[in-house]
């Protein structure tokens, strides 16, 4: 997904780029602010619709709620797609981008698993639902992923050299992996609670 594919620096729509003046000096901070405004204005509407959906789901998750086991997979799947969309192996990390992302993912899973012991209140296997404790964490994570991805799109559009920066790409890839890992870890807690609630088989 391209969060900020266009800017309006030139008279036609095209990939964002830095330009130099006659003296060879790059764009001023004022011009860069204008560029950012134009990037935002050219952001596809579906991106803002996605943000609205994530905020809605995050607010809903802040309250104690009962949800089916199948629906528990929706948000982690959306966040996984959001994080991985645009991930490329032709950058400075090459194929190692997946290894970096996976390490971040594992760290997030461990973190969420450790902190999520009390998130499941009750499992109703007959109804196929799980009663979850309200938490602001899902909202914070969803907004964090969205803002991070948008910010990265803006930065790389304005400063193409960041795509070749190893520290920058390591940090970004690890961060997205960490975010996804937290969602996967929370999901794993719910699935574990579901499995543990199974009635023992009669001898």
């Amino acid at each position: 997904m391209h969060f900020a594919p266009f800017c309006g620096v030139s008279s036609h729509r095209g990939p964002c780029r830095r330009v130099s003046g006659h003296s060879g000096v790059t764009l001023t901070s004022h011009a860069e602010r204008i560029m950012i405004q134009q990037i935002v204005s050219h952001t596809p509407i579906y991106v803002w619709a996605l943000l609205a959906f994530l905020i809605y789901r995050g607010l809903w998750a802040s309250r104690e709620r009962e949800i089916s086991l199948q629906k528990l997979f929706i948000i982690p799947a959306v966040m996984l797609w959001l994080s991985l969309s645009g991930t490329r192996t032709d950058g400075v990390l090459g194929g190692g981008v997946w290894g970096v992302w996976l390490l971040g993912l594992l760290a997030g899973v461990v973190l969420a698993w450790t902190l999520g012991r009390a998130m499941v209140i009750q499992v109703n296997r007959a109804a196929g639902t799980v009663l979850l404790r309200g938490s602001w964490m899902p909202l914070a994570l969803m907004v964090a992923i969205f803002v991070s991805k948008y910010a990265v799109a803006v930065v790389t559009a304005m400063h193409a050299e960041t795509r070749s920066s190893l520290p920058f790409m390591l940090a970004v890839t690890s961060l997205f992996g960490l975010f996804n890992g937290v969602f996967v870890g929370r999901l794993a807690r719910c699935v574990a609670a579901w499995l543990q609630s199974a009635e023992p088989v009669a001898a």
Side-chain angles (χ1 to χ4, degrees):
M1 172 182 290
H2 299 287
F3 269 34
F6 296 109
C7 64
V9 175
S10 59
S11 60
H12 66 281
R13 288 189 178 186
C16 299
R17 62 184 185 277
R18 293 179 63 85
V19 298
S20 299
H22 296 295
S23 63
V25 179
T26 56
L27 290 174
T28 64
S29 58
H30 175 69
E32 289 181 342
R33 285 197 297 271
I34 294 177
M35 182 184 289
I36 292 175
Q37 293 172 358
Q38 292 174 336
I39 288 174
V40 173
S41 67
H42 289 121
T43 299
I45 293 184
Y46 68 78
V47 173
W48 304 123
L50 175 61
L51 176 60
F53 168 74
L54 295 178
I55 292 176
Y56 163 75
R57 293 290 299 189
L59 292 173
W60 179 71
S62 68
R63 303 188 301 270
E64 184 177 299
R65 73 272 186 205
E66 192 172 37
I67 184 172
S68 67
L69 184 65
Q70 292 82 359
K71 289 183 178 179
L72 284 172
F73 288 82
I74 294 177
I75 290 299
V78 170
M79 292 297 100
L80 184 64
W81 165 73
L82 188 59
S83 176
L84 292 180
S85 61
T87 300
R88 301 169 59 179
T89 58
D90 59 349
V92 66
L93 293 176
V97 66
W98 302 116
V100 174
W101 180 84
L102 184 59
L103 287 176
L105 179 81
L106 293 176
V109 169
V110 172
L111 179 64
W113 181 269
T114 303
L115 299 178
R117 294 187 179 93
M119 64 177 294
V120 179
I121 300 175
Q122 184 180 7
V123 173
N124 187 339
R125 293 183 67 87
T129 59
V130 178
L131 182 62
L132 299 179
R133 200 177 306 277
S135 172
W136 290 103
M137 182 180 291
L139 175 61
L141 286 171
M142 287 187 282
V143 172
I145 290 180
F146 182 94
V147 171
S148 298
K149 188 168 179 64
Y150 195 96
V152 168
V154 172
V155 169
T156 54
M158 296 179 61
H159 305 277
E161 67 275 10
T162 56
R163 297 180 182 274
S164 302
S165 171
L166 183 59
F168 179 79
M169 296 310 299
L170 279 173
V172 168
T173 305
S174 299
L175 185 63
F176 286 147
L178 179 68
F179 286 153
N180 279 124
V182 174
F183 278 104
V184 173
R186 288 172 59 86
L187 175 61
R189 270 291 178 190
C190 295
V191 173
W194 178 274
L195 295 176
Q196 291 170 4
S197 69
E199 298 181 359
V201 178

